[in-house]
Amino acid sequence: DVKGNPTGEFGPARPITYAEIAKMALEASGDGQATGAFTVKNRRSRNHWAKGYVRVMEDLRASVYTDRLNIDTSASRGAVMQTIVEVLGITDQPPRPAAPAVTGSGALAGSGTALGGSGTSVTGSGSVAPPAAAVEIAPAITFSDLPKDHKHAEAIMLLVKKGVISGDTKKDGSPKGTVRPNAPINRAEVSKIFTKLIQLKFVK
């Protein structure tokens, strides 16, 4: 309820508010909420159950959480994506592979393999292992309702590229080619997003 007490209902069809997605994203990241004596710049949050989460959002300089944001209004789909990307630190950079350990003799520890110049794997004995399977690159995806200059376009497309979201689908499961960046998003949809974030290990 408005005081933060459980009502015993999940409300899957209910739109997510800015207060709710702040709590979800910050708890998922491990940042949690501010405690102790503190103030918030957003006046609407000063006597709100989400006050501690809004303070952390302000500290993180989350772009959606401005001083005048009404945190009890329905969050847009684009704003939810933007918040998730910023709070969880999701980027377009691939993870760095761990450097192989080298022993005093110059041999590689662990599996004892190294990449040759052609991309083939050379074992410690000098034999050549089969090349690694080619990485499949997903085709470019565009949405008819997402202009390139939309303020949340980059965050939305990043989550598409990472496989977290895929846009709207028809009843048969085929894509519609839309993502509705300015529309509200309900609790069931956000639950699906966080499930994917957990599966893809963006949330530990």
Side-chain angles (χ1 to χ4, degrees), residues 50-132:
K51 174 182 176 181
Y53 295 107
V54 173
R55 172 55 191 264
V56 176
M57 284 295 190
E58 292 177 349
D59 290 344
L60 293 174
R61 297 184 180 180
S63 60
V64 170
Y65 289 81
T66 62
D67 297 355
R68 297 183 178 182
L69 176 69
N70 183 347
I71 62 172
D72 285 320
T73 57
S74 299
S76 71
R77 300 166 72 87
V80 166
M81 309 303 169
Q82 186 73 42
T83 299
I84 288 172
V85 165
E86 291 180 8
V87 173
L88 296 183
I90 300 174
T91 70
D92 202 19
Q93 298 299 317
R96 288 186 177 181
V102 180
T103 66
S105 63
L108 291 174
S111 64
T113 61
L115 277 180
S118 63
T120 56
S121 296
V122 182
T123 67
S125 63
S127 60
V128 178

Side-chain angles (χ1 to χ4, degrees), residues 8-192:
E9 297 179 346
F10 183 73
R14 196 174 74 203
I16 286 288
T17 67
Y18 287 98
E20 291 169 334
I21 190 59
K23 177 179 179 179
M24 292 177 184
L26 289 171
E27 290 294 343
S29 71
D31 288 324
Q33 63 179 316
T35 57
F38 62 88
T39 59
V40 288
K41 295 178 182 177
N42 185 307
R43 292 185 178 181
R44 294 178 181 268
S45 307
R46 291 179 181 174
N47 295 307
H48 198 282
W49 66 261
K51 174 182 176 181
Y53 295 107
V54 173
R55 172 55 191 264
V56 176
M57 284 295 190
E58 292 177 349
D59 290 344
L60 293 174
R61 297 184 180 180
S63 60
V64 170
Y65 289 81
T66 62
D67 297 355
R68 297 183 178 182
L69 176 69
N70 183 347
I71 62 172
D72 285 320
T73 57
S74 299
S76 71
R77 300 166 72 87
V80 166
M81 309 303 169
Q82 186 73 42
T83 299
I84 288 172
V85 165
E86 291 180 8
V87 173
L88 296 183
I90 300 174
T91 70
D92 202 19
Q93 298 299 317
R96 288 186 177 181
V102 180
T103 66
S105 63
L108 291 174
S111 64
T113 61
L115 277 180
S118 63
T120 56
S121 296
V122 182
T123 67
S125 63
S127 60
V128 178
V135 177
E136 183 178 349
I137 300 175
I141 298 174
T142 58
F143 298 105
S144 60
D145 58 351
L146 183 64
K148 290 183 178 179
D149 60 352
H150 190 282
K151 60 183 177 180
H152 301 312
E154 187 174 345
I156 292 170
M157 294 309 299
L158 178 57
L159 291 186
V160 170
K161 182 176 180 180
K162 296 296 184 181
V164 178
I165 64 169
S166 57
D168 299 319
T169 57
K170 301 176 183 177
K171 290 183 179 180
D172 62 0
S174 60
K176 284 185 176 180
T178 57
V179 72
R180 293 176 292 135
N182 302 319
I185 183 169
N186 66 38
R187 297 168 69 86
E189 292 170 320
V190 174
S191 295
K192 180 180 179 181

